[in-house]
């Protein structure tokens, strides 16, 4: 009899849990009024069954055919609005309402909070981004001989390394990475290191391991609970924390050393220029902000440039006619065996066009960094509440722009 009553009490509880679960699923699948359409949201999974996580661009193209240039998907229970054409992306990202940055797990974990450029928004983001952009623009000016000379030093070393392996297979990744790291080192610290030096090896290892961790950790921004329930063998949180802390110590050491050498009358590298702003008491400029900017330059700059250069080598190796045309233009304008300087770029239209086409075709950041709305906003008839996540389908933007302009290859 007791067993019968226990079973009788359990069934209402099970029924209540099932009803709650069904209500949760229905509520999770509902979009706000006038919100962009999209595939259904399934409990906990979101729109995952409708997405190929290894090729999001392909999935987005299929959804564009059904829902148009603006649609939404759910990552877990978080709605994300996806923009899928050059015109729509340009229209949205030119407006201040769409300039927010969500607190993504990878960035905030790496920086130990919202600091630097990629994890901040508003006035802080604008001032830090403007400073870095103006400094990099200054480096590319024709009268910036020091930086161009350091670039040519790295090019010369790379050419010497490659000529030692003529007619032999060669793995170029490490050699390219050494050049890129030293160029970034020159920007950040005004010096270069030999690849065999301990400091170089330590930074190289940190950049490599942190980049690997951040690429895997992107999903944690939408499903942070995974960091609690998944084992360390999958999340690699502790390993990521170890290399993050090492890199923090290194970047802070650079600033301490620069502080000791700084006298206020030297404005050579990025740290000198930034410390000048700190000493003036400029808003948002702190030593912690400088440390964050240095880390971003190495982590984001090193990986993106390395991937792009490898793509360029791969594409050119498969297009011999393009190689010949580029070489012919360089020989005609610069002369055979003469180094190519930035001052000559305006006289090399075909070569510059090839470089831009490589960037478009390689598509190394198919969705770029996510944005969010900083207030309630509307876009082409859709209402987007404040803090709505915005993702740009750059792959579609590249191909649609190519088609609309009818660019001839």
């Amino acid at each position: 009899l007791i067993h019968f009553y226990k079973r009788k009490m359990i069934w209402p509880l099970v029924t209540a849990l099932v009803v709650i679960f069904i209500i949760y699923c229905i509520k999770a699948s509902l979009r706000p009024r006038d919100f962009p359409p999209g595939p259904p949201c399934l409990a906990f999974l979101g729109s995952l069954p409708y997405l190929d996580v290894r090729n999001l661009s392909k999935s987005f193209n299929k959804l564009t055919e059904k829902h148009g240039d603006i649609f939404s998907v759910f990552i877990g229970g978080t709605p994300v609005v996806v923009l899928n054409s050059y015109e729509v992306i340009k229209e949205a990202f030119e407006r201040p309402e769409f300039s927010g940055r969500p607190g993504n797990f990878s960035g905030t974990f790496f920086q130990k909070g919202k600091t630097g450029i990629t994890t901040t928004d508003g006035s802080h983001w604008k001032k830090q981004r403007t400073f870095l952009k103006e400094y990099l623009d200054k480096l590319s000016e024709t009268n910036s001989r020091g930086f161009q000379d350091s670039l040519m030093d790295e090019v010369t070393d790379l050419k010497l390394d490659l000529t030692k392996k003529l007619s032999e297979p060669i793995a170029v990744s490490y050699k390219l990475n050494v050049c890129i790291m030293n160029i970034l080192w020159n920007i950040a610290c005004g010096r270069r290191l030999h690849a065999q030096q301990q400091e170089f090896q330590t930074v190289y290892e940190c950049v490599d391991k942190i980049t690997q961790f951040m690429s895997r950790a992107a999903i944690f921004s939408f499903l942070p609970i995974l960091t609690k329930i998944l084992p360390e063998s999958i999340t690699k949180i502790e390993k990521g924390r170890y290399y993050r802390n090492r890199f923090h110590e290194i970047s802070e050491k650079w600033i301490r050393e620069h502080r000791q050498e700084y006298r206020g009358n030297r404005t050579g590298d990025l740290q000198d220029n930034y410390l000048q702003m700190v000493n003036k008491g400029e808003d948002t400029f702190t030593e912690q902000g400088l440390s964050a900017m240095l880390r971003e330059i190495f982590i984001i700059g090193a990986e993106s440039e390395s991937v792009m250069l490898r793509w360029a080598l791969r594409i050119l190796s498969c297009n011999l006619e393009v190689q010949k045309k580029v070489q012919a233009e360089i020989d005609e304008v610069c002369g055979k065996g003469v180094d190519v300087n930035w001052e000559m770029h305006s006289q090399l239209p075909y070569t510059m066009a090839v470089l831009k086409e490589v960037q478009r075709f390689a598509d190394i950041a198919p969705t770029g960094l996510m944005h969010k709305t900083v207030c309630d906003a509307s876009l082409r008839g859709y209402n987007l509440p404040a803090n709505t996540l915005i993702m740009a389908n750059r792959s579609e933007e590249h191909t649609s722009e190519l088609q609309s302009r009818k660019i001839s290859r």
Side-chain angles (χ1 to χ4, degrees):
L1 185 63
I2 295 174
H3 182 67
F4 172 77
Y5 278 116
K6 284 184 177 180
R7 291 183 59 186
K8 191 173 181 181
M9 292 174 64
I10 289 174
W11 278 111
L13 179 61
V14 172
T15 304
L17 290 175
V18 171
V19 170
I20 291 172
F21 180 74
I22 292 173
I23 293 174
Y24 170 80
C25 293
I26 294 174
K27 186 177 179 181
S29 65
L30 297 177
R31 289 172 165 80
R33 185 178 180 182
D34 295 328
F35 200 73
C41 172
L42 307 178
F44 306 112
L45 294 176
S47 303
L48 190 61
Y50 303 90
L51 302 174
D52 180 358
V53 293
R54 295 186 178 181
N55 192 347
L56 282 177
S57 298
K58 183 178 179 181
S59 301
F60 289 164
N61 290 342
K62 290 182 179 179
L63 292 172
T64 299
E65 294 175 2
K66 182 176 181 180
H67 300 291
D69 288 339
I70 306 175
F71 62 81
S72 61
V73 296
F74 282 81
I75 310 298
T78 305
V80 179
V81 174
V82 185
L83 311 181
N84 292 275
S85 73
Y86 172 76
E87 294 78 12
V88 171
I89 294 171
K90 185 174 184 294
E91 178 185 340
F93 289 173
E94 283 181 342
R95 293 165 54 183
E97 306 98 291
F98 293 86
S99 64
R101 294 288 191 191
N104 66 85
F105 176 87
S106 297
T108 53
F109 177 86
F110 164 58
Q111 294 286 27
K112 296 185 180 181
K114 298 190 70 173
T115 183
I117 297 177
T118 57
T119 59
T120 58
D121 52 24
S123 174
H124 187 284
W125 168 82
K126 187 174 182 179
K127 290 180 180 179
Q128 296 295 305
R129 179 184 178 277
T130 299
F131 167 83
L132 182 58
K133 181 180 181 299
E134 289 178 351
Y135 177 76
L136 295 177
D137 287 343
K138 185 173 67 174
L139 289 182
S140 64
E141 292 175 357
T142 55
N143 59 357
S144 182
R145 296 302 312 172
F147 180 64
Q148 290 195 45
D149 289 342
S150 68
L151 285 177
M152 297 312 300
D153 288 342
E154 298 302 327
V155 171
T156 300
D157 288 350
L158 178 61
K159 286 161 63 176
L160 288 174
D161 280 344
L162 295 179
T163 53
K164 295 175 183 177
K165 299 286 186 179
L166 287 177
S167 303
E168 296 180 29
I170 182 172
V172 297
S173 296
Y174 179 73
K175 296 184 183 300
L176 291 174
N177 289 345
V178 169
C179 293
I180 293 167
M181 291 282 285
N182 260 324
I183 291 168
L184 294 175
W185 222 301
N186 186 276
I187 292 173
C189 303
R191 59 192 173 97
R192 74 189 296 265
L193 295 178
H194 194 278
Q196 303 306 316
Q197 287 182 254
Q198 182 60 45
E199 186 177 8
F200 184 98
Q201 291 294 325
T202 302
V203 173
Y204 187 93
E205 182 183 23
C206 287
V207 170
D208 181 53
K209 299 299 183 182
I210 292 171
T211 302
Q212 291 179 29
F213 172 77
M214 290 176 69
S215 65
R216 288 194 300 263
I219 187 63
F220 299 150
S221 297
F222 304 98
L223 298 171
I225 192 174
L226 295 180
T227 62
K228 307 295 184 182
I229 62 177
L230 293 179
E232 165 65 16
S233 59
I234 296 177
T235 64
K236 307 291 185 183
I237 293 288
E238 287 303 318
K239 189 175 181 180
R241 185 177 288 113
Y242 169 75
Y243 285 105
R244 176 201 67 183
N245 291 342
R246 283 185 72 186
F247 201 29
H248 272 251
E249 292 171 3
I250 292 169
S251 61
E252 289 162 4
K253 178 177 75 72
W254 289 341
I255 297 174
R256 286 196 303 271
E257 293 173 350
H258 241 68
R259 269 292 194 193
Q260 293 172 0
E261 300 170 358
Y262 183 74
R263 296 293 181 272
N265 58 351
R266 183 190 66 190
T267 55
D269 57 42
L270 182 139
Q271 289 191 67
D272 292 332
N273 283 263
Y274 198 102
L275 287 173
Q276 200 174 51
M277 303 294 282
V278 173
N279 292 339
K280 289 179 179 178
E282 294 286 345
D283 186 34
T284 77
F285 286 83
T286 64
E287 290 192 10
Q288 292 75 21
L290 173 56
S291 181
M293 185 177 290
L294 293 175
R295 292 190 293 270
E296 286 178 327
I297 287 173
F298 275 87
I299 295 297
I300 299 173
E303 178 65 12
S304 61
E305 290 303 317
S306 176
V307 172
M308 184 60 71
L309 285 175
R310 295 202 300 272
W311 264 109
L313 289 173
R314 178 178 297 181
I315 292 170
L316 288 173
S317 67
C318 296
N319 294 272
L320 297 181
E321 287 302 316
V322 175
Q323 280 191 57
K324 292 176 181 177
K325 290 180 180 179
V326 169
Q327 188 65 62
E329 184 179 64
I330 292 175
D331 289 344
E332 180 182 348
V333 174
C334 308
K336 291 188 177 182
V338 178
D339 289 331
V340 181
N341 294 317
W342 179 245
E343 295 94 327
M344 304 173 182
H345 77 280
S346 60
Q347 304 171 55
L348 301 168
Y350 185 80
T351 302
M352 295 301 295
V354 168
L355 292 176
K356 291 176 181 178
E357 176 63 4
V358 166
Q359 291 177 313
R360 185 201 66 80
F361 182 83
D363 194 25
I364 65 171
T367 58
L369 290 173
M370 276 215 277
H371 290 230
K372 73 173 181 180
T373 53
V374 296
C375 60
D376 293 346
S378 62
L379 182 64
R380 300 209 171 183
Y382 295 115
N383 293 329
L384 309 179
N387 297 315
T388 298
L389 300 185
I390 310 294
M391 179 183 292
N393 182 6
R394 297 291 185 181
S395 295
E396 176 62 21
E397 177 191 22
H398 292 156
T399 54
S400 64
E401 183 182 9
L402 176 70
Q403 292 166 354
S404 64
R405 296 186 181 184
K406 295 185 169 74
I407 298 176
S408 172
R409 293 177 184 271

